[in-house]
Amino acid sequence: MLVKEILRVKGGVLYTTTPEQTLEAVVATMADLDVGSLVVMAAGKMVGMVTFREVLQAVKAANASGKSPTVREVMVADPVTVPPDMDANSLRRLMIEKHSRYLPVVENGDLQGVISFLDVAKAVLEEQSLENTLLKNYIKNWPEETAQA
């Protein structure tokens, strides 16, 4: 299974914000949409990612300083990206190595979508279910041996 197949199953919805947004607006958007990440866009290009990890760290820092940061101040400006032709096993390995739950999919500089660890788990589960069904069907319809004299 490839990243582009996982994206196809997931669908093309992409949630974004801008670098100038306040942390409060990002928290509200993420809560309303029930998502753990937003792609940060400026001038039609991805300039970063903000995930609940950055939000939590920023909330902690804001509580200590009394200052409310913008997305630009808390986002990951150069997130790890993956190509659409990467296989799912390599993707899972990279997500674990980089401690990333969300990875943007980029091809020739164009953002194709974002893959979450949950998206990967769902896709792998669906693939295994299909294989399991096919194997059970194959075994159920196994041709009978002909008796040899």
Side-chain angles (χ1 to χ4, degrees), residues 92-144:
R92 287 186 294 194
R93 201 170 300 112
L94 180 65
M95 291 177 110
I96 290 167
E97 285 173 10
K98 299 296 182 180
H99 198 68
S100 295
R101 290 185 178 103
Y102 308 93
L103 291 177
V105 180
V106 176
E107 183 174 38
N108 299 322
D110 292 328
L111 180 63
Q112 305 292 311
V114 175
I115 295 284
S116 72
F117 208 82
L118 179 62
D119 297 331
V120 176
K122 284 180 180 178
V124 169
L125 185 62
E126 286 182 26
E127 183 179 51
Q128 288 174 344
S129 294
L130 176 61
E131 287 176 2
N132 192 8
T133 300
L134 292 173
L135 285 171
K136 285 180 180 178
N137 190 38
Y138 180 75
I139 291 168
K140 180 181 171 186
N141 296 313
W142 191 274
E144 293 198 24

Side-chain angles (χ1 to χ4, degrees), residues 1 3 5 12-13 19 23 31 41-42 46 48 54-55 57-58 67 82 89 93 95 101 105 109 125 134-135 140 144:
M1 174 173 289
V3 166
E5 294 164 340
V13 178
L23 185 61
M41 302 290 288
M46 179 180 70
E54 289 80 37
V55 169
Q57 291 169 349
K67 177 184 170 241
V82 296
N89 287 332
R93 201 170 300 112
M95 291 177 110
R101 290 185 178 103
V105 180
L125 185 62
L134 292 173
L135 285 171
K140 180 181 171 186
E144 293 198 24

